[in-house]
Amino acid sequence: MSSSDRSQAADVKGTYEVRTFGCQMNVHDSERMAGLLEGAGYVRAPQGAEAADVVVFNTCAVRENADNRLYGNLGQLAPKKAARPGMQIAVGGCLAQKDRDTIVEKAPWVDVVFGTHNVGKLPVLLERARLQNEAQVEIAESLEAFPSTLPTRRESAYAAWVSVSVGCNNTCTFCIVPQLRGKEKDRRPGDILAEIEALVDEGVSEITLLGQNVNAYGSDIGDREAFSKLLRACGRIDGLERVRFTSPHPRDFTDDVIAAMAETPNVMPQLHMPLQSGSSRVLKAMRRSYRQERFLGIIEKVRAAIPQAALSTDIIVGFPGETEEDFAETLHVVREARFAQAFTFQYSKRPGTPAAEMPDQIPKKVVQERYERLVALQEEISWEENKKQVGRTLELMVAEGEGRKDDATRRLSGRAPDNRLVHFTRPEEPVRPGDVVTVDITYAAPHHLLAEGPARAVRRTRAGDAWERRTSAPQEQQGSGVMLGLPTVGAPDPLPAATGGCGLG
């Protein structure tokens, strides 16, 4: 080992692993945690390593059994920590914000507990716990620094999340997020655009604007058209090929946003619009501030302005008091809206929410039966909508790790502009994630498309160059990636009993 190698080794504090559960906001926060730890001298634990020196849990509090899941994971680590002096465990995120001291009481081997508002304190708290040899619990009540000002270890070389706001001003009765993330705080438009431009300079070609209620952006800075202006400004950034956003709220979805989507070429023809229920009566009980007619009116306007748009949604089945007539209204909206994809969830109590205390909780058997009917209907519609894509020529951005059978089938996978997943025949020339391939769609399944013939064209991109630079770096710099807690794209797990994530809008 050379003297420089020994010096570098001496600077490394140890390895780390971040385990992420929950919504897109948590995934993005985990990128910040990874960046902070690497800035403090830690390196990503190799894939398959027995245990890292620092393990961070970025938790979600929206599921009824979220705490059981956390303590189960912590319990598995307890003997490993006992056998490894110096190993540290940290718990952050929404469950940490909610439960605070309870975590250390139930799992005294945890070293650090931090909340959603003080992610930037993670390295300091770890060091303090090490020096004082006692657990550090620090939960800020309000945001200390906007997350995007923190160092970041991005999980993709060609696509990136960009936060436009944190927090939420809504009071949905099934959601605890506003209590844990706080009121909405908006970033300055100039700061957002500067971050996007910096990402594009690094090779990123697709960005997703992220917020708990993304299209409410501007309420904190007093500009009701701020979000549509932001979309149009993204259209003027050279090298930025694709812009997406999630998740909007129907209450704040205005005509100027639809116009910006239709008139800005790099804003993709895709919209995720959470429905939650098709019953106006249930929507009122959910405190969703829109009704069925308003929701379907938005869908009609979007389809008129962007005929090729693919729409997706979130739906909760079995909300307290939901009758068979209410559920029939949900099925009606699904038939009318013809979503390309729906994330469907069985309602379960979320501790700390008004809905958990409501009367007329629906029996599990009834919820399951309704859920199965909804899934069957949406499966049928998704397949019919996908069949309409057969014969079309599409430009795909080549994706990494989205086709589980790609190696066996000699295919690659990519995303169409409307975000549909397409598996395509591997071209003879080298193709990298982030490159763009033009293909003809030949077959449709409910959750993906196939392009079985040869590619019409392959365009090597700066995003592909960025991916190649990252993957050609030494193995210790590549890391193993964050475990994402997002719904998987493609065929869903069979009939899971789940609730929606924070990004439901």
Side-chain angles (χ1 to χ4, degrees):
M1 179 183 290
S2 69
S3 59
S4 61
D5 290 336
R6 284 192 297 270
S7 174
Q8 287 183 340
D11 291 338
V12 174
K13 289 185 176 180
T15 59
Y16 76 89
E17 176 188 359
V18 180
R19 302 186 186 183
T20 309
F21 308 97
C23 67
Q24 296 97 327
M25 193 69 74
N26 266 19
V27 175
H28 193 37
D29 284 348
S30 288
E31 292 183 327
R32 307 293 180 195
M33 295 174 194
L36 286 161
L37 291 170
E38 292 189 4
Y42 295 90
V43 297
R44 184 72 63 88
Q47 197 164 18
E50 178 63 22
D53 297 305
V54 172
V55 179
V56 182
F57 291 90
N58 189 7
T59 63
C60 172
V62 301
R63 293 182 185 271
E64 186 177 18
N65 63 348
D67 53 348
N68 292 335
R69 187 178 187 185
L70 171 65
Y71 295 121
N73 277 277
L74 292 175
Q76 291 175 4
L77 282 184
K80 294 181 180 179
K81 183 178 180 185
R84 291 187 59 180
M87 180 181 175
Q88 291 185 294
I89 300 172
V91 179
C94 290
L95 192 63
Q97 188 79 22
K98 173 177 170 287
D99 285 356
R100 306 178 181 227
D101 295 329
T102 305
I103 294 173
V104 174
E105 291 174 5
K106 290 186 175 181
W109 55 92
V110 169
D111 298 277
V112 170
V113 179
F114 62 105
T116 60
H117 299 309
N118 60 335
V119 171
K121 289 288 186 65
L122 174 58
V124 172
L125 293 172
L126 287 167
E127 185 67 9
R128 193 186 301 166
R130 185 182 67 81
L131 293 174
Q132 297 181 7
N133 197 30
E134 65 179 10
Q136 302 295 308
V137 179
E138 188 169 310
I139 306 291
E141 297 300 330
S142 59
L143 193 66
E144 293 184 347
F146 202 91
S148 291
T149 64
L150 301 174
T152 304
R153 203 280 186 189
R154 300 272 179 184
E155 290 306 307
S156 171
Y158 55 90
W161 306 103
V162 176
S163 289
V164 304
S165 63
V166 294
C168 181
N169 294 335
N170 293 318
T171 57
C172 301
T173 54
F174 57 80
C175 185
I176 199 171
V177 171
Q179 299 176 42
L180 305 179
R181 293 278 182 176
K183 293 292 185 181
E184 180 177 324
K185 294 292 182 183
D186 294 337
R187 294 177 70 191
R188 293 173 52 189
D191 292 341
I192 297 170
L193 295 171
E195 181 181 355
I196 295 172
E197 289 170 350
L199 288 167
V200 172
D201 287 343
E202 294 171 8
V204 168
S205 61
E206 176 178 311
I207 61 104
T208 300
L209 302 174
L210 186 62
Q212 231 78 53
N213 181 9
V214 69
N215 61 314
Y217 175 74
S219 62
D220 184 47
I221 57 179
D223 184 353
R224 288 183 57 82
E225 295 189 352
F227 189 65
S228 62
K229 292 175 183 176
L230 182 62
L231 291 177
R232 293 183 186 277
C234 287
R236 296 190 288 270
I237 297 177
D238 290 338
L240 180 58
E241 297 195 19
R242 295 186 172 192
V243 178
R244 307 186 191 276
F245 58 89
T246 195
S247 289
H249 192 294
R251 183 196 67 183
D252 302 301
F253 204 80
T254 50
D255 291 349
D256 60 297
V257 172
I258 297 174
M261 292 178 65
E263 297 165 9
T264 310
N266 64 355
V267 175
M268 295 293 97
Q270 172 212 355
L271 178 63
H272 183 76
M273 180 65 72
L275 169 64
Q276 308 305 7
S277 174
S279 164
S280 293
R281 191 188 70 82
V282 173
L283 288 170
K284 183 178 180 180
M286 289 178 167
R287 219 178 286 159
R288 287 291 287 173
S289 68
Y290 59 89
R291 302 296 177 258
Q292 181 191 113
E293 183 179 5
R294 161 73 172 153
F295 187 92
L296 288 175
I298 293 171
I299 300 302
E300 184 178 358
K301 288 180 179 179
V302 170
R303 292 213 184 279
I306 316 167
Q308 300 294 344
L311 307 180
S312 58
T313 196
D314 299 310
I315 301 174
I316 297 173
V317 178
F319 186 81
E322 179 189 74
T323 64
E324 181 61 30
E325 290 74 20
D326 292 323
F327 180 67
E329 290 295 301
T330 294
L331 297 180
H332 167 71
V333 174
V334 169
R335 292 188 186 99
E336 290 293 310
R338 299 196 64 80
F339 300 111
Q341 186 178 25
F343 297 105
T344 51
F345 306 93
Q346 296 185 34
Y347 173 80
S348 65
K349 292 182 180 180
R350 295 165 179 178
T353 63
E357 306 302 323
M358 286 181 176
D360 300 322
Q361 300 283 328
I362 310 299
K364 167 67 177 173
K365 183 177 179 181
V366 174
V367 176
Q368 180 72 29
E369 188 273 334
R370 290 177 185 171
Y371 178 80
E372 291 176 6
R373 277 192 281 156
L374 174 61
V375 168
L377 173 62
Q378 182 56 52
E379 191 91 351
E380 176 185 331
I381 292 172
S382 294
W383 200 357
E384 290 172 356
E385 290 301 303
N386 274 0
K387 287 176 182 177
K388 296 176 182 178
Q389 305 299 309
V390 174
R392 292 189 64 196
T393 300
L394 300 177
E395 272 199 343
L396 312 178
M397 181 174 289
V398 181
E400 183 175 27
E402 293 216 63
R404 291 183 293 246
K405 299 178 181 178
D406 281 351
D407 288 339
T409 58
R410 286 198 50 77
R411 291 181 181 137
L412 296 175
S413 299
R415 290 282 170 177
D418 64 10
N419 209 37
R420 282 183 166 92
L421 178 65
V422 182
H423 305 302
F424 61 95
T425 301
R426 190 188 301 266
E428 292 186 6
E429 58 191 288
V431 179
R432 308 158 302 176
D435 286 341
V436 174
V437 177
T438 304
V439 300
D440 296 323
I441 303 301
T442 58
Y443 175 82
H447 301 284
H448 69 268
L449 303 172
L450 288 182
E452 298 165 297
R456 283 180 175 264
V458 174
R459 175 164 60 88
R460 293 173 71 85
T461 66
R462 292 173 61 252
D465 294 342
W467 178 88
E468 191 168 355
R469 285 194 300 273
R470 174 179 287 197
T471 54
S472 63
Q475 185 64 35
E476 63 270 14
Q477 297 177 24
Q478 293 178 27
S480 57
V482 172
M483 296 167 54
L484 305 188
L486 294 170
T488 55
V489 180
D493 293 334
L495 307 180
T499 60
C502 312
L504 292 182

